[in-house]
Amino acid sequence: MSRNPIRCVRAKGDAFSIGFVIGQATASSFRERVFRENVFVSEQYQILNARWRGSDYLKTLESASRAAYPRYVREIEGIAAGAGQDFETVFLLHCMDELRLPEGVSPATKTIDRCTSLLVPPEGDGPAVIAHNEDGGAESLGACLWVEVEPDEGPAWSGFGTPGILPTYFGLNEAGLVQANNYIRPNDRKPGVPKEIICRAILSAKDLDEAIEILKRKDRASGYHHNLGEAKTGRLVSVEAPASGCVVREVASPRAHANHLLYGELDGLEQTITLSSRNRQEAADRMIAEGALAMGAEAVLFDETTPIYANGSGDSQTLATSVFALFPDRIEWRVHAAPDERYVLSGTMRVV
């Protein structure tokens, strides 16, 4: 029996209907692992909830979201209804990285590192490749979803998520766009649109240029590092997009990215770099230079010596490993639950 089953869910229709299916599919996990007996399980989330629930700042984040992307807020409303929760609880969950802990308060739990990604441009007639480890808290192991969506408006898309959250941590759409996101820790949060909603907007983009323009918005409240690819052209870009800036790099040779800002244009921005993030970045860079990618992206992402693959022995757990091969007319994708549980989900999305 799998220790990390990843459930596949299909949703279609209007925004609320799509969200409702997602919420309903994760309702029991949400109650057991995220918000048990009306209390967040995470100590950090408990502190943030006590500080920010009902606050003007949270209302500002909501107002900015509704002004910019009302359809995606409607999806969150559907998630809340499907999970049997009030909207504020689920919206607050989408904003946890936008909210600061009270001055002098630090939870006992350690910071969880999240994600390592690879970008491999095409060679000859071969595909471009985006590959990604999605890391998170061990409480999400076995409770994640792969959601395949046919919306009334915009391109069909698929994505991966944890209970109660828009499934956009990595995903693709029928316009030929692939996205995978890495957590970063710059100290530049501000009022605006939360990054989870920005990620949802990218999965409705019609091409890579539109996705990049979304990341250049000046009203973003925080940010991610985004690995983006376009099947039709084979273009890959690495985008560092904290709230206060956006640096786009076209990828011409294989590269990796962990959980901190690398590009010189953002050197003046204060950020937290954990030892794990630094070690994973250095190890992935070394393995790429040594030719490990000749054996496939998994040869790097399943490394357990650094470790790049988090096996639960520390504060992080790799929840899934995804590999997307981008051909001009299609995207072939696979999702692994663990090194010994490969291809638990796979498929081909035709590009329209």
Side-chain angles (χ1 to χ4, degrees), residues 118-263:
L118 304 174
L119 291 161
V120 186
E123 291 189 9
D125 294 331
V129 173
I130 293 179
H132 178 77
N133 275 0
E134 181 61 38
D135 292 1
E139 71 277 358
S140 294
L141 195 71
C144 298
L145 293 181
W146 176 257
V147 184
E148 299 179 346
V149 182
E150 295 181 26
D152 287 347
E153 182 181 349
W157 61 278
S158 299
F160 179 88
T162 53
I165 292 286
L166 290 166
T168 62
Y169 294 156
F170 59 80
L172 72 165
N173 72 18
E174 66 179 356
L177 193 69
V178 172
Q179 170 181 237
N181 306 313
N182 293 327
Y183 188 73
I184 53 176
R185 299 181 178 86
N187 186 27
D188 68 341
R189 288 167 288 192
K190 60 182 176 62
V193 182
K195 63 186 181 183
E196 301 300 349
I197 293 178
I198 293 291
C199 293
R200 171 63 188 89
I202 288 173
L203 284 180
S204 285
K206 296 178 177 60
D207 56 36
L208 183 57
D209 289 336
E210 181 181 341
I212 292 170
E213 286 306 308
I214 291 170
L215 293 176
K216 290 181 178 179
R217 293 181 66 108
K218 303 299 185 184
D219 60 350
R220 293 176 297 108
S222 70
Y224 275 126
H225 166 259
H226 297 259
N227 304 276
L228 299 176
E230 183 175 62
K232 293 176 183 178
T233 62
R235 287 175 64 202
L236 300 176
V237 295
S238 171
V239 186
E240 293 186 346
S244 58
C246 180
V247 179
V248 181
R249 287 281 194 276
E250 297 276 345
V251 176
S253 60
R255 66 172 60 187
H257 204 291
N259 305 117
H260 57 280
L261 301 171
L262 300 174
Y263 303 144

Side-chain angles (χ1 to χ4, degrees), residues 173-177 231-232 327-331 349-352:
N173 72 18
E174 66 179 356
L177 193 69
K232 293 176 183 178
F327 297 88
D329 63 341
R330 70 193 187 279
I331 300 168
M349 181 172 282
R350 294 290 170 180
V351 175
V352 299

